[in-house]
Amino acid sequence: MMGDATEAAREMKKTFIVPAIKAFDHYDFSRAKIACSLSWLVAKAFGTDHVPEELGEPFYTDQYEQEHIKPPVVNLLLSAELYCRAGSLILKSDAAKPLLGHDAVVQALAQKGLYVTEQEKLVTERDLRKKPIQMTAHLAMIDTLMMAYTVEMISIGKVVSCVQQFTNFFPATELPYDIEDAIVCWINKVNEHLREIVSQEQKQRRPPGPEIPGSQRARYRKDQILPKQLPCISPVENLLKDTTDGCALAALIHFYCPDIIRMEDICLKETMSLADGLYNLQLIQDFCEGYLNQCCHFLLEDMLYASSSVKNNYL
């Protein structure tokens, strides 16, 4: 299977056709936030392989070409069923006392030190049951559940332990101050290590100049003796803005799954074009689809434009 995936990646690079994407001026950031948040929540509530068909796509288009959230999705948000299902899984609630209702989920999150807030105001069950649906309150609830999931999966301690397995780490100066900083640290440490590996491999492959008995060392053209340029993977400072070309994330995947995504399958240039970035982002999408249980709920545009509103979705 890995061989097939590698061959597929190679063919993709040869035949990659730049996909049609919405221009920045026509990109709807609010819709994108709602779409990827609802897709994540539904997948967590039912399991990726068991999402009911009518919930697979959260929007429908009416006769006037206007988009709306599907009534079944709205009903499940207002009834709290999606939150209770996802919350029970993420918060590992006692099976004997399942979460029932919005307030139960809000309280369970609060017990983890996570509070559902919208513009610094606590979100209440009344806000979450309001009709017509108050989508900003629901997005705040989903964001907090996402943060709970992130905290469950990632910690500063886990990242430090992981990094120390392959490189030096100096807690006095490099200790991350929060989870986002820990993820940035992890990406950068992996990619620094990758550059070192590639540099060492190039040195080992560089053949010594042949000696001709009784004569001086033979001369060679400059392009024959210069090493290949190291892959250009810029350090990540801003998790959203510095990953929009896919370089750092694709290299991260290569580090852990080199047989699936090879270094030479990634587009790593000092100056990346839009097409180069889209190629890498599609590579990441395909990997998530095939090997991470379809965990990527973003469109290419979502990753390319990377609004601050989707930061919790990224984490």
Side-chain angles (χ1 to χ4, degrees):
M1 180 177 285
M2 285 188 178
D4 293 343
T6 302
E7 191 60 38
R10 206 175 299 162
E11 287 302 314
M12 176 183 166
K13 196 162 188 177
K14 289 179 184 175
T15 62
F16 179 69
I17 299 172
V18 181
I21 60 169
K22 288 186 179 178
F24 184 84
D25 293 343
H26 295 95
Y27 178 72
D28 187 336
F29 287 91
S30 296
R31 183 203 181 279
K33 172 64 177 176
I34 293 170
C36 61
S37 296
L38 289 178
S39 295
W40 177 86
L41 180 63
V42 168
K44 282 287 171 283
F46 292 98
T48 303
D49 297 328
H50 303 287
V51 173
E53 187 176 345
E54 67 273 17
L55 304 180
E57 165 58 47
F59 291 97
Y60 77 96
T61 305
D62 66 18
Q63 58 185 330
Y64 303 107
E65 298 298 314
Q66 298 296 311
E67 274 195 329
H68 309 275
I69 301 175
K70 288 179 179 177
V73 177
V74 171
N75 292 337
L76 288 171
L77 292 171
L78 293 174
S79 71
E81 183 177 341
L82 288 176
Y83 299 123
C84 293
R85 281 174 170 265
S88 295
L89 174 70
I90 295 167
L91 302 170
K92 297 181 171 31
S93 61
D94 189 345
K97 297 179 181 178
L99 296 175
L100 298 172
H102 297 102
D103 196 52
V105 179
V106 169
Q107 294 302 320
L109 286 166
Q111 289 174 9
K112 299 276 188 180
L114 299 168
Y115 299 93
V116 185
T117 59
E118 180 196 352
Q119 296 181 343
E120 299 184 1
K121 177 187 172 185
L122 287 172
V123 171
T124 66
E125 183 160 26
R126 183 178 179 181
D127 298 325
L128 295 165
R129 294 181 65 85
K130 192 176 291 184
K131 295 180 182 180
I133 191 168
Q134 187 176 326
M135 203 58 214
T136 52
H138 287 273
L139 287 175
M141 179 77 143
I142 298 170
D143 268 356
T144 312
L145 274 171
M146 285 180 181
M147 184 51 63
Y149 182 71
T150 301
V151 169
E152 191 66 35
M153 298 296 293
I154 303 169
S155 70
I156 293 174
K158 287 179 181 177
V159 168
V160 170
S161 176
C162 171
V163 168
Q164 287 176 326
Q165 293 179 22
F166 59 83
T167 191
N168 294 325
F169 184 84
F170 305 100
T173 56
E174 297 181 320
L175 190 66
Y177 55 83
D178 61 15
I179 288 179
E180 182 181 347
D181 192 43
I183 293 172
V184 168
C185 171
W186 173 49
I187 293 172
N188 285 333
K189 284 291 189 180
V190 165
N191 289 337
E192 285 172 16
H193 187 58
L194 269 178
R195 282 192 292 270
E196 291 172 5
I197 291 173
V198 174
S199 177
Q200 290 300 319
E201 287 178 348
Q202 287 185 359
K203 288 178 182 176
Q204 291 171 4
R205 289 174 187 167
R206 197 183 311 167
E211 293 286 347
I212 301 176
S215 69
Q216 295 180 343
R217 185 184 298 271
R219 291 185 178 183
Y220 290 88
R221 293 200 322 267
K222 190 176 180 182
D223 61 350
Q224 285 182 314
I225 59 174
L226 284 178
K228 285 185 178 180
Q229 189 175 358
L230 289 175
C232 184
I233 312 172
S234 300
V236 173
E237 295 179 8
N238 182 303
L239 183 61
L240 291 175
K241 300 303 179 186
D242 294 339
T243 57
T244 57
D245 60 10
C247 293
L249 294 180
L252 181 75
I253 294 171
H254 161 76
F255 180 71
Y256 290 100
C257 302
D259 293 327
I260 299 175
I261 293 185
R262 304 178 309 160
M263 183 68 87
E264 53 265 43
D265 292 328
I266 307 168
C267 189
L268 300 170
K269 299 178 181 176
E270 189 170 345
T271 302
M272 295 283 290
S273 68
L274 175 61
D276 294 332
L278 289 172
Y279 166 80
N280 284 342
L281 294 175
Q282 192 158 309
L283 203 62
I284 294 164
Q285 268 193 341
D286 292 345
F287 176 81
C288 293
E289 180 80 18
Y291 297 94
L292 292 181
N293 201 24
Q294 303 172 36
C295 71
C296 181
H297 301 289
F298 294 117
L299 299 177
L300 288 174
E301 292 97 323
D302 302 334
M303 295 189 284
L304 181 66
Y305 300 138
S307 162
S308 59
S309 64
V310 299
K311 181 180 286 187
N312 283 347
N313 304 69
Y314 256 67
L315 293 174

PDB file of all heavy atoms in Angstrom, residues 148-161:
ATOM      1  N   ALA A 148     -10.752  21.501  23.966  1.00  0.00           N
ATOM      2  CA  ALA A 148     -10.723  20.367  24.893  1.00  0.00           C
ATOM      3  C   ALA A 148     -10.076  19.154  24.227  1.00  0.00           C
ATOM      4  O   ALA A 148      -9.286  18.429  24.849  1.00  0.00           O
ATOM      5  CB  ALA A 148     -12.140  20.028  25.346  1.00  0.00           C
ATOM      6  N   TYR A 149     -10.399  18.946  22.959  1.00  0.00           N
ATOM      7  CA  TYR A 149      -9.819  17.823  22.215  1.00  0.00           C
ATOM      8  C   TYR A 149      -8.314  18.023  22.034  1.00  0.00           C
ATOM      9  O   TYR A 149      -7.519  17.088  22.201  1.00  0.00           O
ATOM     10  CB  TYR A 149     -10.504  17.703  20.855  1.00  0.00           C
ATOM     11  CG  TYR A 149     -10.014  16.550  20.020  1.00  0.00           C
ATOM     12  CD1 TYR A 149     -10.335  15.230  20.364  1.00  0.00           C
ATOM     13  CD2 TYR A 149      -9.240  16.764  18.887  1.00  0.00           C
ATOM     14  CE1 TYR A 149      -9.892  14.164  19.598  1.00  0.00           C
ATOM     15  CE2 TYR A 149      -8.792  15.707  18.118  1.00  0.00           C
ATOM     16  CZ  TYR A 149      -9.127  14.410  18.473  1.00  0.00           C
ATOM     17  OH  TYR A 149      -8.674  13.352  17.713  1.00  0.00           O
ATOM     18  N   THR A 150      -7.916  19.262  21.717  1.00  0.00           N
ATOM     19  CA  THR A 150      -6.495  19.570  21.543  1.00  0.00           C
ATOM     20  C   THR A 150      -5.724  19.332  22.834  1.00  0.00           C
ATOM     21  O   THR A 150      -4.641  18.730  22.833  1.00  0.00           O
ATOM     22  CB  THR A 150      -6.323  21.042  21.100  1.00  0.00           C
ATOM     23  OG1 THR A 150      -7.023  21.247  19.871  1.00  0.00           O
ATOM     24  CG2 THR A 150      -4.855  21.386  20.905  1.00  0.00           C
ATOM     25  N   VAL A 151      -6.279  19.805  23.949  1.00  0.00           N
ATOM     26  CA  VAL A 151      -5.631  19.633  25.256  1.00  0.00           C
ATOM     27  C   VAL A 151      -5.495  18.149  25.596  1.00  0.00           C
ATOM     28  O   VAL A 151      -4.509  17.716  26.201  1.00  0.00           O
ATOM     29  CB  VAL A 151      -6.431  20.368  26.355  1.00  0.00           C
ATOM     30  CG1 VAL A 151      -5.942  19.992  27.739  1.00  0.00           C
ATOM     31  CG2 VAL A 151      -6.342  21.876  26.144  1.00  0.00           C
ATOM     32  N   GLU A 152      -6.487  17.357  25.190  1.00  0.00           N
ATOM     33  CA  GLU A 152      -6.456  15.923  25.455  1.00  0.00           C
ATOM     34  C   GLU A 152      -5.359  15.241  24.637  1.00  0.00           C
ATOM     35  O   GLU A 152      -4.716  14.298  25.098  1.00  0.00           O
ATOM     36  CB  GLU A 152      -7.821  15.311  25.102  1.00  0.00           C
ATOM     37  CG  GLU A 152      -8.012  13.885  25.580  1.00  0.00           C
ATOM     38  CD  GLU A 152      -8.053  13.751  27.090  1.00  0.00           C
ATOM     39  OE1 GLU A 152      -8.575  14.660  27.770  1.00  0.00           O
ATOM     40  OE2 GLU A 152      -7.553  12.735  27.588  1.00  0.00           O
ATOM     41  N   MET A 153      -5.152  15.733  23.410  1.00  0.00           N
ATOM     42  CA  MET A 153      -4.210  15.081  22.496  1.00  0.00           C
ATOM     43  C   MET A 153      -2.777  15.595  22.640  1.00  0.00           C
ATOM     44  O   MET A 153      -1.817  14.848  22.422  1.00  0.00           O
ATOM     45  CB  MET A 153      -4.671  15.298  21.046  1.00  0.00           C
ATOM     46  CG  MET A 153      -6.030  14.707  20.730  1.00  0.00           C
ATOM     47  SD  MET A 153      -6.073  12.909  20.878  1.00  0.00           S
ATOM     48  CE  MET A 153      -5.007  12.428  19.534  1.00  0.00           C
ATOM     49  N   ILE A 154      -2.635  16.881  22.956  1.00  0.00           N
ATOM     50  CA  ILE A 154      -1.320  17.515  22.950  1.00  0.00           C
ATOM     51  C   ILE A 154      -1.076  18.242  24.264  1.00  0.00           C
ATOM     52  O   ILE A 154      -1.976  18.848  24.820  1.00  0.00           O
ATOM     53  CB  ILE A 154      -1.210  18.545  21.795  1.00  0.00           C
ATOM     54  CG1 ILE A 154      -1.494  17.894  20.447  1.00  0.00           C
ATOM     55  CG2 ILE A 154       0.164  19.201  21.770  1.00  0.00           C
ATOM     56  CD1 ILE A 154      -1.658  18.883  19.316  1.00  0.00           C
ATOM     57  N   SER A 155       0.158  18.163  24.744  1.00  0.00           N
ATOM     58  CA  SER A 155       0.565  18.945  25.912  1.00  0.00           C
ATOM     59  C   SER A 155       2.000  19.391  25.701  1.00  0.00           C
ATOM     60  O   SER A 155       2.725  18.836  24.871  1.00  0.00           O
ATOM     61  CB  SER A 155       0.456  18.118  27.193  1.00  0.00           C
ATOM     62  OG  SER A 155       1.444  17.104  27.210  1.00  0.00           O
ATOM     63  N   ILE A 156       2.415  20.403  26.436  1.00  0.00           N
ATOM     64  CA  ILE A 156       3.800  20.870  26.332  1.00  0.00           C
ATOM     65  C   ILE A 156       4.759  19.740  26.682  1.00  0.00           C
ATOM     66  O   ILE A 156       5.768  19.521  26.003  1.00  0.00           O
ATOM     67  CB  ILE A 156       4.021  22.085  27.248  1.00  0.00           C
ATOM     68  CG1 ILE A 156       3.215  23.278  26.722  1.00  0.00           C
ATOM     69  CG2 ILE A 156       5.505  22.436  27.344  1.00  0.00           C
ATOM     70  CD1 ILE A 156       3.233  24.496  27.619  1.00  0.00           C
ATOM     71  N   GLY A 157       4.418  18.979  27.726  1.00  0.00           N
ATOM     72  CA  GLY A 157       5.267  17.858  28.138  1.00  0.00           C
ATOM     73  C   GLY A 157       5.418  16.811  27.051  1.00  0.00           C
ATOM     74  O   GLY A 157       6.526  16.297  26.812  1.00  0.00           O
ATOM     75  N   LYS A 158       4.314  16.483  26.364  1.00  0.00           N
ATOM     76  CA  LYS A 158       4.368  15.486  25.289  1.00  0.00           C
ATOM     77  C   LYS A 158       5.248  15.969  24.140  1.00  0.00           C
ATOM     78  O   LYS A 158       6.022  15.194  23.559  1.00  0.00           O
ATOM     79  CB  LYS A 158       2.953  15.197  24.777  1.00  0.00           C
ATOM     80  CG  LYS A 158       2.086  14.368  25.709  1.00  0.00           C
ATOM     81  CD  LYS A 158       0.701  14.169  25.110  1.00  0.00           C
ATOM     82  CE  LYS A 158      -0.199  13.366  26.039  1.00  0.00           C
ATOM     83  NZ  LYS A 158      -1.572  13.219  25.492  1.00  0.00           N
ATOM     84  N   VAL A 159       5.117  17.252  23.801  1.00  0.00           N
ATOM     85  CA  VAL A 159       5.912  17.804  22.699  1.00  0.00           C
ATOM     86  C   VAL A 159       7.399  17.789  23.048  1.00  0.00           C
ATOM     87  O   VAL A 159       8.236  17.374  22.242  1.00  0.00           O
ATOM     88  CB  VAL A 159       5.442  19.233  22.355  1.00  0.00           C
ATOM     89  CG1 VAL A 159       6.447  19.915  21.417  1.00  0.00           C
ATOM     90  CG2 VAL A 159       4.064  19.200  21.706  1.00  0.00           C
ATOM     91  N   VAL A 160       7.733  18.220  24.260  1.00  0.00           N
ATOM     92  CA  VAL A 160       9.136  18.239  24.687  1.00  0.00           C
ATOM     93  C   VAL A 160       9.715  16.827  24.657  1.00  0.00           C
ATOM     94  O   VAL A 160      10.818  16.593  24.157  1.00  0.00           O
ATOM     95  CB  VAL A 160       9.272  18.852  26.096  1.00  0.00           C
ATOM     96  CG1 VAL A 160      10.686  18.661  26.638  1.00  0.00           C
ATOM     97  CG2 VAL A 160       8.929  20.336  26.065  1.00  0.00           C
ATOM     98  N   SER A 161       8.962  15.867  25.182  1.00  0.00           N
ATOM     99  CA  SER A 161       9.416  14.477  25.197  1.00  0.00           C
ATOM    100  C   SER A 161       9.633  13.957  23.781  1.00  0.00           C
ATOM    101  O   SER A 161      10.602  13.249  23.498  1.00  0.00           O
ATOM    102  CB  SER A 161       8.390  13.610  25.931  1.00  0.00           C
ATOM    103  OG  SER A 161       8.751  12.253  25.887  1.00  0.00           O
TER     104      SER A 161
END
